[in-house]
Amino acid sequence: MCCRRIFVVDDHPIILSGVGAMINSQDDLTIVGLAANADEALEGIGKAHPDVAVIDISLPGANGVTLIERLVERFPELGCIALTAHEDPGCLRQVLAAGGRGFVVKRSTAMDLLQAIRCVLAGDNYVDPALAARILSPRHGPQCDPGNLSERERSVIQLVALGYSNKEISSRLNLSIKTIETYRTRATDKLELHSRAAIVRFAQSNGWLAELQ
């Protein structure tokens, strides 16, 4: 089996070594580098060419959001996942705006982080379920309705933007997969969105992910 290459950035040695060891224990993943700050990360990632970088947001010097922005600019194919103790939706907004494709809080389980890594490797996005739930709450729901989307169509598009599969959306909304596929098709046809990346950009540009407080 070909192992996918992971790089971890965190200024706490215990977390750095613990996350590295956990990832290395997986048959399909391998650690190709560790760094404690942004400068080390930029140098190490440039040499190691990982598939995914797991990055602590609170780094000395340049913070993790700035690092993600620099990495996305230099290495467009690299999938960046924020790993943070901060559960502030504003932090999520900054990570998404910087080009990050995953957001995991440190109180999550090891399996959550592994799921995030594998989602990003598969070309999807991953947002911590607790924050995803807040995004979909009535208080934080979208304030506009581009394309005259129905409430269900909006919900489906939001979940797609957050990286959920049709099966996961089906379970979350308690609807059949066929029904989810219908809502998704109707919404993407109305909005003329033809890829998951386009859906994510649409959700961000309309404030569906960014207007969290």
Side-chain angles (χ1 to χ4, degrees), residues 89-105:
C91 186
L92 167 60
R93 178 190 63 214
Q94 292 174 9
V95 168
L96 293 173
R101 290 176 44 203
F103 191 95
V104 180
V105 298

Side-chain angles (χ1 to χ4, degrees), residues 59-89:
L59 293 173
N63 65 32
V65 174
T66 300
L67 175 58
I68 289 172
E69 190 171 25
R70 291 177 181 175
L71 289 171
V72 169
E73 181 178 354
R74 288 182 57 180
F75 312 106
E77 300 303 316
L78 177 66
C80 293
I81 297 173
L83 180 65
T84 178
H86 301 291
E87 300 183 33
D88 174 15

Side-chain angles (χ1 to χ4, degrees), residues 4 22 24 51 58 75 111 131-132 152 170 176 185 197 209 211:
R4 306 301 297 273
M22 182 269 293
N24 262 338
D51 300 300
S58 300
F75 312 106
M111 293 305 297
L131 285 177
R152 283 298 192 191
S170 169
S176 71
T185 299
L209 306 183
E211 291 182 358

Side-chain angles (χ1 to χ4, degrees), residues 44-57:
I45 288 171
K47 293 177 179 178
H49 305 292
D51 300 300
V52 166
V54 178
I55 301 168
D56 182 18
I57 293 301

Side-chain angles (χ1 to χ4, degrees), residues 87-177:
E87 300 183 33
D88 174 15
C91 186
L92 167 60
R93 178 190 63 214
Q94 292 174 9
V95 168
L96 293 173
R101 290 176 44 203
F103 191 95
V104 180
V105 298
K106 287 186 175 179
R107 69 178 177 87
S108 298
T109 67
M111 293 305 297
D112 290 326
L113 178 56
L114 291 173
Q115 182 182 358
I117 291 172
R118 292 187 173 110
C119 278
V120 171
L121 285 170
D124 295 331
N125 293 341
Y126 180 93
V127 174
D128 187 273
L131 285 177
R134 292 177 65 181
I135 288 172
L136 293 172
S137 71
R139 180 185 171 200
H140 296 301
Q143 301 303 309
C144 56
D145 188 17
N148 295 317
L149 298 185
S150 70
E151 181 179 350
R152 283 298 192 191
E153 289 166 350
R154 282 202 310 268
S155 296
V156 169
I157 289 297
Q158 284 180 281
L159 286 166
V160 171
L162 291 169
Y164 287 87
S165 67
N166 286 349
K167 182 178 179 181
E168 290 168 330
I169 298 172
S170 169
S171 176
R172 190 176 186 90
L173 298 183
N174 196 28
L175 297 169
S176 71
I177 294 178

